[in-house]
Amino acid sequence: MSSWRRLAAALRSAVGGTRALRAAALRRAVAPAVVGSVLGTGLVCYHRCRVLERPSTVYAAEEQEAPAPQMSPRKMRFIQFASVVYEQEPYMTPRDFLFSVMLEKVDRKLQKRVLTAQEVNSMLRTASAARAGTDLFRTWGDNGLISYTEYLFLLTILTKPRTGFRIAFQMLDVDGNEQVDKKEFLKLKTIIGSSKARVATAKTAAENSEAVSTSLQAYFFGKRGENKLKYQEFLRFMEDLQAEVQEMEFLQFSKGMDTMRREDFAEWLLHYTNEEDNEIYWENMRKRIPAGQSITFDEFKAFCLFSNNLEDFVFSMKMVTGANRPVGMAQFRRAVKIATGHELSDSVLDTVFKLFDMDGDDCLSHKEFMGVMTDRVLRGLKVQPQSGVSGYWKCVKRETLTGAKEALGDGWCPI
């Protein structure tokens, strides 16, 4: 019996030892996992808490640059045709200006020429010694400087009737002594050229004179700006410039000949109109005008004089026929005579009526004709849609009167 008790005790001891070994092994396997899990969970919680404890960072919205001001058609045209640069500013030469009023675009094969101070001084000496004439700008060629504000000023000269010359000069002659000095000229030129500029800036620029003198300033006032510009000299300059541009345009469309064919005259007249509309007019030309008939330079100049008096012509037409009614040739001829004091030739009148007689009743379509003439006078550079010549001059007059009154104070009196 005792032997059996000893055997049972040994078996119980062996089984208990195996269980202990298994429990120990299990503890060795599970303990690291439990500890790792606890540590990992702690780290995660610690990281989350640290993130929540961090001060919030607010990022400001990225500031967007203000859009660049939209460039006007006249400014874009000036930059396109300007061929020289001085002190990082673009300038036209007299040749550039002539091309800008004759051509729709320029095919520039070279970069803009950067001028030195010596070259500019040479240009000013040339301008101050130049003589008046209808070839002044062609004589200067590329040997001259024209600023953007002067470009605008010259454009107004090309569309202004002679009756407006006196008014323009009186706008310059702020002290009423029948002559203007460089200071007065720069003051009005600055105001006209930059309607959105501050008046104080315009006034300071006028009082201190421009940093860079130009050929026009040297021609009017001498290289040092000491001369005075008289009305008769101003009138002569404006008439000469108009005549020079007219002569160049005539030679351009007459292909250098002394006379211009009627179809060439029609091409000049329609040069700045919508190409889609031109086909209708050209069809009228092909059907109604016989070949081989020409227009002289004097006849061409008379029509240019008429085109510079469109506002007076429109007023005359309203008096003669009423607004926007079909116009017969006799009525048209009479209205032109009233507006300009001159008559158009039969050849020019017949060409105009054959082009713009849309239904074959020997009457002019007033709306069509005035639309084409407005494009022709402004050379495609409209100030506002449907503003026309009247809107253009109202804009210039408004900017000039407002700017001059604020810049000069109560001592300045409008005309």
Side-chain angles (χ1 to χ4, degrees):
M1 271 308 277
S2 58
S3 60
W4 284 107
R5 289 192 186 97
R6 288 194 293 272
L7 178 61
L11 290 173
R12 285 196 297 272
S13 177
V15 171
T18 303
R19 288 178 178 173
L21 289 174
R22 287 179 179 176
L26 181 61
R27 287 194 295 271
R28 285 195 300 269
V30 173
V34 172
V35 173
S37 176
V38 171
L39 290 176
T41 304
L43 289 173
V44 171
C45 292
Y46 174 78
H47 175 71
R48 290 180 177 176
C49 291
R50 293 290 293 173
V51 171
L52 293 174
E53 290 176 359
R54 289 177 184 172
S56 300
T57 302
V58 179
Y59 294 95
E62 184 179 352
E63 295 185 1
Q64 296 182 353
E65 294 183 0
Q70 187 174 3
M71 196 175 296
S72 69
R74 294 177 302 282
K75 183 67 173 182
M76 289 189 292
R77 192 171 186 82
F78 175 83
I79 293 176
Q80 178 189 10
F81 281 85
S83 65
V84 296
V85 175
Y86 182 62
E87 294 185 350
Q88 299 182 345
E89 288 291 330
Y91 288 87
M92 277 184 172
T93 66
R95 184 199 301 268
D96 295 333
F97 174 76
L98 291 175
F99 285 174
S100 72
V101 298
M102 293 171 53
L103 308 175
E104 292 188 61
K105 60 182 180 179
V106 61
D107 183 16
R108 195 172 301 287
K109 298 178 175 62
L110 302 176
Q111 294 182 348
K112 297 183 188 296
R113 180 165 63 107
V114 179
L115 299 176
T116 64
Q118 291 78 7
E119 289 174 319
V120 171
N121 285 330
S122 175
M123 291 177 176
L124 298 182
R125 285 194 298 270
T126 299
S128 62
R131 294 184 178 181
T134 57
D135 60 350
L136 178 64
F137 277 54
R138 283 174 287 183
T139 300
W140 279 346
D142 287 325
N143 191 25
L145 285 182
I146 297 174
S147 68
Y148 174 61
T149 52
E150 289 174 344
Y151 167 71
L152 298 179
F153 178 72
L154 294 173
L155 283 181
T156 64
I157 289 177
L158 293 180
T159 60
K160 204 169 186 65
R162 179 167 180 168
T163 54
F165 289 179
R166 184 75 181 182
I167 297 175
F169 188 83
Q170 288 177 338
M171 293 294 292
L172 293 171
D173 181 19
V174 293
D175 54 12
N177 62 354
E178 293 297 318
Q179 58 185 8
V180 298
D181 57 22
K182 184 178 179 180
K183 179 179 176 180
E184 292 170 333
F185 177 77
L186 291 178
K187 189 172 295 185
L188 186 66
K189 183 171 68 68
T190 303
I191 294 170
I192 292 177
S194 182
S195 61
K196 295 183 180 180
R198 291 187 177 182
V199 174
T201 303
K203 185 176 181 180
T204 301
E207 291 176 348
N208 297 335
S209 182
E210 288 188 342
V212 179
S213 291
T214 62
S215 297
L216 204 58
Q217 296 170 32
Y219 177 74
F220 284 152
F221 307 105
K223 188 175 183 296
R224 295 181 177 85
E226 70 280 7
N227 298 337
K228 301 279 188 175
L229 177 63
K230 298 179 181 179
Y231 171 68
Q232 289 301 324
E233 297 169 342
F234 183 65
L235 176 64
R236 170 85 184 268
F237 172 80
M238 298 178 85
E239 291 180 335
D240 285 347
L241 179 60
Q242 286 188 351
E244 183 165 9
V245 171
Q246 290 168 10
E247 182 179 343
M248 290 199 65
E249 288 185 324
F250 183 86
L251 292 173
Q252 177 188 8
F253 284 88
S254 69
K255 312 301 187 292
M257 303 298 289
D258 293 335
T259 59
M260 176 188 292
R261 290 177 176 172
R262 291 174 67 174
E263 57 265 32
D264 296 330
F265 176 75
E267 182 181 0
W268 170 81
L269 192 59
L270 302 174
H271 186 58
Y272 291 103
T273 58
N274 192 318
E275 292 184 2
E276 295 179 358
D277 298 333
N278 282 2
E279 186 57 35
I280 301 174
Y281 305 134
W282 280 115
E283 185 65 22
N284 289 342
M285 170 67 71
R286 286 189 288 266
K287 290 181 177 178
R288 300 173 181 175
I289 296 182
Q293 297 183 356
S294 299
I295 293 172
T296 67
F297 181 54
D298 287 338
E299 292 173 322
F300 178 79
K301 286 197 300 183
F303 187 84
C304 290
L305 175 64
F306 153 71
S307 66
N308 284 349
N309 288 270
L310 278 184
E311 290 187 62
D312 293 338
F313 169 76
V314 171
F315 179 76
S316 300
M317 286 301 305
K318 290 180 180 179
M319 298 296 293
V320 173
T321 66
N324 298 325
R325 293 183 180 179
V327 182
M329 188 175 294
Q331 296 168 322
F332 188 92
R333 188 193 299 271
R334 182 185 173 195
V336 171
K337 177 75 172 182
I338 294 173
T340 67
H342 296 80
E343 292 186 358
L344 298 180
S345 68
D346 292 338
S347 181
V348 168
L349 276 174
D350 187 61
T351 303
V352 169
F353 269 75
K354 293 290 175 58
L355 275 177
F356 299 103
D357 179 6
M358 307 306 292
D359 52 10
D361 62 352
D362 293 329
C363 288
L364 193 71
S365 174
H366 182 272
K367 183 179 179 180
E368 296 285 341
F369 175 71
M370 290 307 301
V372 170
M373 288 305 303
T374 299
D375 288 339
R376 173 68 255 177
V377 172
L378 300 182
R379 291 173 167 82
L381 299 176
K382 290 185 178 179
V383 177
Q384 296 175 346
Q386 299 178 349
S387 65
V389 179
S390 178
Y392 176 75
W393 281 111
K394 286 180 181 177
C395 178
V396 172
K397 184 177 181 181
R398 180 174 62 252
E399 293 176 5
T400 303
L401 290 176
T402 302
K405 182 177 180 181
E406 295 180 2
L408 302 176
D410 296 333
W412 180 82
C413 180
I415 301 165

